[in-house]
């Protein structure tokens, strides 16, 4: 097998640099799409328009309780509810095994922070952002919503939910720029590629299931 060799001439070096630059540009195109598609719909808690539903994406549990990042998302969602910006909260996360109930823990946290249980709806098959967006529309009948997540994730969430057919705004929760924040930002660059494919192909969620009437019922009860 012939081993690759380093460029030897100035022309070869120039071509190599051009190829690398082209590959980097192509690799970053999905991340650019995410920023453009999602950035124009991101607001603050104070200036986001009111919508019927708030969608909170999972961010992991520690000892059965929300991680600090997830707790901050839930705090923001509770504030939206208290301010009358949303009437129902749809909490979406992973409940694929009996020992890990992310949306259940999210509901428990919200109830403890003053949100009535009847105004919280659980999506226990939100295994990733696309699944959560697709199921919000196809299973729960959500058409308009405010999405809640960290700033590094919210643009991708907005872009994917718009691609899934929802009319959404996003609220990005502020966090200190610590190791977790930088890791999340780096992950977003990699996740943008899958997001672009999901938006183009519209794959079915990992688990679709029947229509769920609870969001509509909760809205009707207000």
């Amino acid at each position: 097998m012939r081993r690759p060799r380093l460029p030897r001439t100035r022309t070869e070096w120039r071509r190599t640099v051009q190829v690398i630059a082209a590959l980097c540009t192509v690799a970053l195109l999905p991340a650019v799409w995410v920023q453009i598609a999602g950035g124009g719909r991101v607001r603050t808690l104070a200036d986001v328009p009111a919508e019927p539903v708030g969608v909170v994406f999972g961010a992991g549990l520690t000892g059965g309780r929300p991680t600090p990042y997830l707790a901050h998302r839930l705090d923001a969602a509770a504030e939206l509810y208290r301010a009358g910006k949303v009437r129902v909260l749809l909490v979406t996360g992973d409940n694929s095994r009996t020992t890990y109930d992310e949306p259940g823990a999210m509901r428990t946290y919200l109830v403890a922070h003053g949100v009535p249980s009847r105004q919280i709806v659980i999506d226990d098959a939100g295994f990733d952002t696309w699944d959560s967006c697709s199921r919000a529309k196809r299973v729960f009948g959500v058409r308009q919503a405010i999405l809640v997540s960290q700033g590094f994730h919210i643009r991708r969430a907005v872009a994917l939910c718009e691609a899934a057919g929802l009319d959404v705004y996003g609220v990005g929760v502020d966090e200190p720029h610590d190791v977790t924040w930088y890791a999340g930002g780096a992950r977003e660059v990699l996740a943008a590629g899958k997001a672009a494919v999901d938006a183009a192909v519209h794959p079915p969620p990992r688990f679709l299931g029947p229509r769920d009437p609870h969001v509509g019922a909760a809205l009707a009860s207000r």
Side-chain angles (χ1 to χ4, degrees):
M1 182 177 179
R2 187 177 179 182
R3 288 186 176 183
R5 63 176 178 81
L6 290 173
R8 295 175 180 175
T9 66
R10 183 176 298 178
T11 299
E12 288 179 342
W13 274 110
R14 186 184 302 115
R15 289 175 179 170
T16 300
V17 170
Q18 289 172 345
V19 169
I20 292 173
L23 291 174
C24 289
T25 300
V26 171
L28 290 174
L29 281 177
V32 173
W33 167 76
V34 165
Q35 293 300 313
I36 294 173
R41 307 286 286 185
V42 176
R43 300 287 189 271
T44 67
L45 283 169
D47 67 13
V48 67
E51 297 289 0
V53 180
V55 179
V56 191
F57 297 88
L61 303 178
T62 301
R65 297 181 178 181
T67 61
Y69 269 38
L70 180 51
H72 296 162
R73 296 181 188 187
L74 296 167
D75 290 338
E79 188 172 340
L80 285 171
Y81 180 83
R82 288 192 293 267
K85 293 290 184 76
V86 297
R87 292 181 286 150
V88 175
L89 291 173
L90 175 63
V91 294
T92 174
D94 184 354
N95 183 206
S96 58
R97 55 193 188 276
T98 57
T99 57
Y100 189 85
D101 185 2
E102 189 175 29
M106 294 164 75
R107 178 170 61 183
T108 298
Y109 185 98
L110 286 168
V111 170
H113 287 76
V115 181
S117 179
R118 66 182 180 277
Q119 300 309 122
I120 305 168
V121 178
I122 280 181
D123 172 16
D124 55 11
F127 301 125
D128 61 20
T129 304
W130 172 255
D131 280 12
S132 294
C133 291
S134 182
R135 282 174 54 82
K137 175 72 181 295
R138 298 174 64 179
V139 174
F140 295 94
V142 176
R143 298 183 180 276
Q144 297 170 291
I146 298 174
L147 313 180
V148 182
S149 189
Q150 265 69 34
F152 56 74
H153 172 244
I154 194 62
R155 288 169 179 80
R156 179 163 62 92
V158 168
L160 284 173
C161 281
E162 290 275 349
L166 284 75
D167 181 13
V168 300
Y169 288 93
V171 170
V173 179
D174 290 330
E175 296 287 351
H177 288 195
D178 54 12
V179 173
T180 303
W181 190 91
Y182 283 110
R187 179 181 178 274
E188 285 303 306
V189 175
L190 301 175
K194 178 181 181 300
V197 173
D198 288 339
V201 177
H202 285 213
R206 197 180 316 173
F207 177 78
L208 183 58
R211 290 293 295 265
D212 188 307
H214 287 93
V215 168
L219 288 171
S221 71
R222 288 295 303 271

